[in-house]
Amino acid sequence: MTPRSFVVRSVLALLLCGSAVAPAFGQAASTWFLAEGASNGTFDEDILVGNPSATALGVTVTLLPAPDAVIAPGAVLEKTFTLPGTGRLTVNIRREFPGLNGATSARISAAIQGSTTPADIVVERSMFFPLTGTPYAGGTGASGVTAPATRWILAEGAAGVFETFVLIANPGTTAASVTARYLRGNGTSVSETVSVAPGNRATLWPSSRADLAGEGFSTVVESSAPVVAERAMYFDSFRSGHDALGVTEGRTTWFFAEGFTGGNATIAFETFLLVGNDNDQPATVTATFFRDTGAPVTRTYTVLPRSRFNIWTDQEKDAAGALLLPATAFSVRLESTIPIVAERAMYWGTPSAADPTTPSFPWKEGHVVAGIRQPEARWAFAEGRQGDDASGVAFDSFFLLVNPNTSGIQVRATFVTEDGTGFTTTAAVAANARANIWPTPGAGPDADTNTKFALLQGRRFACFLESVGGETFVAERAMYWSTFVGGHANAGTPWSGAIAVPAQLPADVKITGMTPTSGRLTGGTVVTITGENFGGAATVTFGGVPVTPSSIGPAAITFTVPTRTPQTGFGSAGPVAVTVSAQGRFLKAPSFTRYFSVLAFGDSLTWGTSTFYVAGQKVSTQTARPYPRGMKSSLEDTPQFGSYALVTNAGWPGEWVTVPGFNGSPGGIARSARCTAGQANCFFPISPDPGDYFTPHDVEVLLEGINDLNNAVAPSSVRSGMRGMVVDAKSKGLQVLLTLFGPYGKDEVTGQPATFPEKVTEYNNLLDALAVEQAVSRERVSAQMGPDGLHPSQTGYDEMAEAVYRKLLTMFPRCPAGQSSCP
């Protein structure tokens, strides 16, 4: 059997069923242009640069923002980066150019480091979106181009289901007058003209035009000065999309290495071929479909002049009316009587109930590529990711090789990573067949290759392919993430330069454990990650945000979970991704779970004493739902906290703040210090409800002192005791909520007040002042009282729970101060 990493198309179809083809004509070049790009609240853009030479380079990225982009005063729009020999460079626009908020094109150039001598590179761009909801639910990718042009043609475009945008970059020094003609399927067209300033970018939105409503169309871009044109299409409310670079001329032959019309129990694909004819004559187009089994099949189509034509391969039928390509993986060659342009779009999603080989709508995602011009002996890819990324997203990259020759070939694959190390491996591709290189452990043809693939996990890389014997072939890359939640595809760039052999990858980096794996929402937890071969320059990200380790050793990394405040926002409780970057590799550590931990401390009003009279005798018991229990239920119903809300009922009936010994209590001052220190002997021994007791806590809710007041302790003395409790809690990193309870009621049997109202008022006023002095929160709480006037009824306890719950929401906002919404 053929090894898993070099399988023919039928196996790939079951495993992957996605691919890409064709953009740039940029044989090796030192300057590249990208028309599309954005960095804002929706898009996260990476510019990828590959260097197959053994020489270190300086790579300069210059942004060309759109007119409506927001640029911070003094913002840097050009930076130079070091790219090692046999290396890959990743430039994240959000991180490297924080002063930009909006759309931008880019110019990328390279020179030998320390000189002005131009050096050849390969460039691609990846964009991920959205950044809210399900991060990276969609993505697009495209190659750069090595030269602008005055004419570009884009075969695909649609309105209705899709939002289509045409992106035009002017990297020159003179303004460009650009006309876009949209070719409908019926042979008619509409157009619009825009002026693009030098060093700028324009965005056209043809799908918003009333005269293209519900239409499919191709686009011809013609300019008075050289520009670069791309097209981006989005669907499912901008949760999914794809992008393709334009081509500068039509051709009579186009190749597509991938297509699929089937699926399995969890995912299904469908494939479309889009043809644009910008001629005055109709085009006769013959599509030859090369299937995994059986002879090729052909269909011939007529494409009207100045029009766009759509071939839905899933629905094509043979002469007998049967489906031509049922659940079939295939390659395609398009041959036309006159020059045309062509693209291939593939969409995937949940199999439909009516036909499990077809995805239901809306699709989960899709990708699109322009046709491949011709086979080549060498191909270059700047983008590739395998395994876990720093964002916590898991990637899979597939390199698809098609051999159109009548004899088999050997293809050498050279993988180069961000630290300049890498490896080579070889794939056999049979005659008129396709092979797949999936660089994941166990997918290689032998143990040595699988060992190399294991070292590639968690790395970003470029890949360079060349036939050992100089034969020509076709190469594409498809990259998916989060188990087909998102994906994009691209063809290789034809390459003419040398491909050096990289230095060996570092020793395998491993994570063996992490302690602890949970902590409070407020942060501050010290965490140690253990493993092997971390080196001395490892970095850590916590929830996608870099954190600075306090110590780094070959077998252990220690860091502190970032502290959250009301100014930064506390985010949401729950699991957080933790990743390590070491020796050029990203590794996923165990998730760290953030809990919202509330310590409800007090006397019988916290424990939940309920009273009633039997034959004039007062009977005390615990209410069915003490206020901490009701508060926890409300927190659990709040999405910010959910099941990660933990509440500890630390009430002790009869306890005094100032004096120990009553009802077995050590006294409020001593017991509070025990609770905040995480000691287990701080609870009333009977039925604390709830009793989660997760330490350290985020907040201590203090409600105590009435027993002192009722036993002739001066309010000022009780206030002093409470001050000690507040200072202790703050010293341990807890927020504090002082609960000022009142008024109390009267005993329904004796008719006497349950407390001394004037002392309660004085005490609450002192607590008000204490809250100001210590800069802690306070909340006045009143509740329906029970028969003895000292303890609330069940309704009263529920009122207490609601009041404290509402206050906690204001103390622990999810979003940063001043923001009503956040990711």
Side-chain angles (χ1 to χ4, degrees):
M1 179 176 291
T2 304
R4 259 201 315 145
S5 65
F6 308 117
V7 293
V8 293
R9 186 160 53 247
S10 59
V11 178
L12 175 67
L14 294 176
L15 173 68
L16 165 64
C17 314
S19 90
V21 282
F25 352 74
Q27 298 271 57
S30 62
T31 300
W32 293 75
F33 302 94
L34 295 165
E36 168 66 315
S39 179
N40 51 32
T42 298
F43 294 99
D44 195 19
E45 177 186 358
D46 288 334
I47 293 176
L48 308 320
V49 186
N51 174 18
S53 77
T55 305
L57 308 179
V59 175
T60 300
V61 175
T62 305
L63 301 186
L64 310 173
D68 59 353
V70 178
I71 302 172
V76 173
L77 297 179
E78 181 175 285
K79 292 181 71 173
T80 298
F81 305 86
T82 297
L83 172 57
T86 59
R88 135 82 180 253
L89 172 67
T90 304
V91 179
N92 179 263
I93 302 301
R94 178 184 301 275
R95 181 176 62 250
E96 300 295 344
F97 298 92
L100 171 76
N101 182 7
T104 184
S105 300
R107 178 175 59 244
I108 301 94
S109 60
I112 294 175
Q113 192 171 40
S115 78
T116 59
T117 303
D120 292 334
I121 53 175
V122 62
V123 173
E124 296 185 49
R125 181 204 62 249
S126 286
M127 292 178 64
F128 304 99
F129 56 89
L131 300 183
T132 58
T134 302
Y136 289 14
T140 64
S143 291
V145 297
T146 54
T150 57
R151 191 169 190 265
W152 295 90
I153 313 171
L154 298 149
E156 169 67 310
V161 169
F162 296 94
E163 295 291 347
T164 299
F165 300 87
V166 177
L167 306 319
I168 302 167
N170 178 9
T173 58
T174 60
S177 177
V178 179
T179 298
R181 287 188 291 115
Y182 306 113
L183 312 181
R184 297 184 176 107
N186 61 7
T188 64
S189 64
V190 295
S191 64
E192 61 179 310
T193 300
V194 64
S195 179
V196 187
N200 219 308
R201 125 104 181 247
T203 301
L204 304 180
W205 188 7
S207 59
S208 67
R209 295 173 59 103
D211 50 13
L212 290 175
E215 297 268 7
F217 52 88
S218 296
T219 303
V220 180
V221 174
E222 294 170 309
S223 175
S224 63
V227 295
V228 180
E230 286 187 48
R231 181 209 60 251
M233 296 174 64
Y234 302 94
F235 54 96
D236 193 19
S237 300
F238 286 87
R239 286 186 288 269
S240 304
H242 50 62
D243 178 280
L245 180 68
V247 298
T248 57
E249 61 181 3
R251 295 178 65 88
T252 56
T253 303
W254 293 101
F255 298 88
F256 294 95
E258 175 67 339
F260 191 55
T261 61
N264 55 32
T266 60
I267 195 164
F269 290 77
E270 56 186 342
T271 302
F272 299 84
L273 299 173
L274 305 317
V275 181
N277 176 16
D278 190 33
N279 300 287
D280 292 327
Q281 304 83 34
T284 300
V285 179
T286 298
T288 302
F289 299 95
F290 299 91
R291 301 173 296 176
D292 287 340
T293 58
V297 293
T298 63
R299 287 293 311 274
T300 300
Y301 311 90
T302 298
V303 184
L304 296 175
R306 310 288 182 188
S307 71
R308 147 4 202 303
F309 188 76
N310 174 33
I311 302 171
W312 187 2
T313 63
D314 297 61
Q315 302 301 315
E316 291 298 305
K317 294 183 171 60
D318 61 20
L323 288 176
L324 187 71
L325 301 165
T328 302
F330 55 88
S331 299
V332 184
R333 182 179 66 231
L334 294 180
E335 298 171 291
S336 175
T337 54
I338 58 176
I340 58 171
V341 296
E343 297 181 28
R344 185 228 65 225
M346 292 181 66
Y347 301 94
W348 62 90
T350 304
S352 68
D355 179 4
T357 67
T358 301
S360 57
F361 188 83
W363 304 299
K364 181 179 291 186
E365 245 287 44
H367 50 56
V368 66
V369 289
I372 295 176
R373 297 159 57 87
Q374 61 190 32
E376 300 282 352
R378 293 181 178 180
W379 296 96
F381 298 88
E383 173 68 300
R385 310 181 193 210
Q386 189 62 40
D388 296 319
D389 192 67
S391 63
V393 175
F395 288 85
D396 281 294
S397 294
F398 300 84
F399 294 86
L400 315 171
L401 317 177
V402 177
N403 176 15
N405 303 292
T406 57
S407 58
I409 64 173
Q410 293 285 322
V411 174
R412 181 184 299 112
T414 300
F415 294 88
V416 300
T417 66
E418 290 175 314
D419 62 1
T421 63
F423 64 88
T424 64
T425 187
T426 303
V429 192
N432 294 311
R434 186 179 70 176
N436 165 39
I437 301 177
W438 178 24
T440 193
D446 51 49
D448 179 64
T449 302
N450 284 322
T451 298
K452 294 175 179 177
F453 285 173
L455 294 175
L456 195 65
Q457 303 310 294
R459 296 184 187 271
R460 300 168 173 174
F461 52 86
C463 181
F464 299 88
L465 304 171
E466 58 182 328
S467 63
V468 175
E471 306 90 345
T472 60
F473 64 103
V474 174
E476 310 168 0
R477 182 211 61 247
M479 189 172 79
Y480 299 90
W481 51 91
S482 302
T483 317
F484 293 99
V485 166
H488 62 57
N490 204 9
T493 295
W495 192 255
S496 60
I499 302 174
V501 176
Q504 184 176 346
L505 286 165
D508 195 12
V509 182
K510 296 181 181 179
I511 291 177
T512 57
M514 186 174 82
T515 305
T517 57
S518 62
R520 63 184 175 186
L521 190 70
T522 305
T525 305
V526 177
V527 178
T528 297
I529 301 172
T530 55
E532 301 174 11
N533 301 316
F534 288 144
T539 61
V540 177
T541 66
F542 185 85
V545 178
V547 295
T548 301
S550 56
S551 66
I552 303 173
I557 302 170
T558 299
F559 71 96
T560 300
V561 174
T563 300
R564 300 291 195 99
T565 67
Q567 286 67 43
T568 65
F570 290 87
S572 296
V576 177
V578 180
T579 64
V580 173
S581 176
Q583 309 267 33
R585 180 177 176 186
F586 291 103
L587 299 98
K588 184 181 290 186
S591 294
F592 183 92
T593 302
R594 301 170 69 226
Y595 290 100
F596 182 46
S597 179
V598 181
L599 174 65
F601 188 91
D603 49 32
S604 56
L605 269 68
T606 298
W607 185 77
T609 295
S610 174
T611 61
F612 58 93
Y613 284 93
V614 176
Q617 296 296 313
K618 185 167 74 172
V619 178
S620 298
T621 185
Q622 189 177 39
T623 187
R625 191 168 53 253
Y627 99 78
R629 166 58 62 188
M631 177 179 61
K632 175 172 178 166
S633 297
S634 295
L635 290 171
E636 289 178 327
D637 290 340
T638 304
Q640 181 185 359
F641 307 112
S643 60
Y644 303 99
L646 303 179
V647 177
T648 299
N649 185 334
W652 193 301
E655 180 174 76
W656 294 24
V657 171
T658 57
V659 181
F662 289 92
N663 202 21
S665 164
I669 298 172
R671 193 169 66 86
S672 176
R674 294 179 186 177
C675 287
T676 56
Q679 297 179 16
N681 62 342
C682 74
F683 299 110
F684 186 57
I686 301 173
S687 305
D689 180 29
D692 296 328
Y693 201 53
F694 179 88
T695 59
H697 306 285
D698 289 286
V699 59
E700 183 176 22
V701 182
L702 289 171
L703 173 56
E704 197 163 59
I706 192 64
N707 293 315
D708 300 76
L709 299 180
N710 278 356
N711 287 277
V713 178
S716 59
S717 297
V718 186
R719 180 262 186 200
S720 295
M722 291 291 286
R723 185 182 186 280
M725 295 158 69
V726 170
V727 170
D728 168 75
K730 290 175 59 181
S731 71
K732 295 168 182 172
L734 281 72
Q735 288 200 52
V736 176
L737 173 58
L738 289 174
T739 306
L740 288 56
F741 191 88
Y744 292 84
K746 294 182 178 181
D747 188 301
E748 68 177 25
V749 172
T750 67
Q752 297 298 312
T755 63
F756 298 97
E758 68 285 354
K759 288 187 177 181
V760 172
T761 299
E762 180 184 355
Y763 178 57
N764 283 340
N765 290 338
L766 289 171
L767 292 184
D768 253 331
L770 175 63
V772 173
E773 173 199 306
Q774 292 295 318
V776 299
S777 298
R778 77 274 202 185
E779 183 73 4
R780 289 185 176 269
V781 175
S782 61
Q784 183 187 91
M785 303 306 292
D788 68 352
L790 185 63
H791 300 95
S793 64
Q794 183 61 70
T795 297
Y797 280 120
D798 291 343
E799 291 170 342
M800 292 173 64
E802 179 67 13
V804 176
Y805 160 72
R806 293 293 175 189
K807 185 63 177 181
L808 291 177
L809 292 184
T810 67
M811 293 173 63
F812 292 87
R814 190 174 71 87
C815 298
Q819 295 186 22
S820 58
S821 63
C822 57

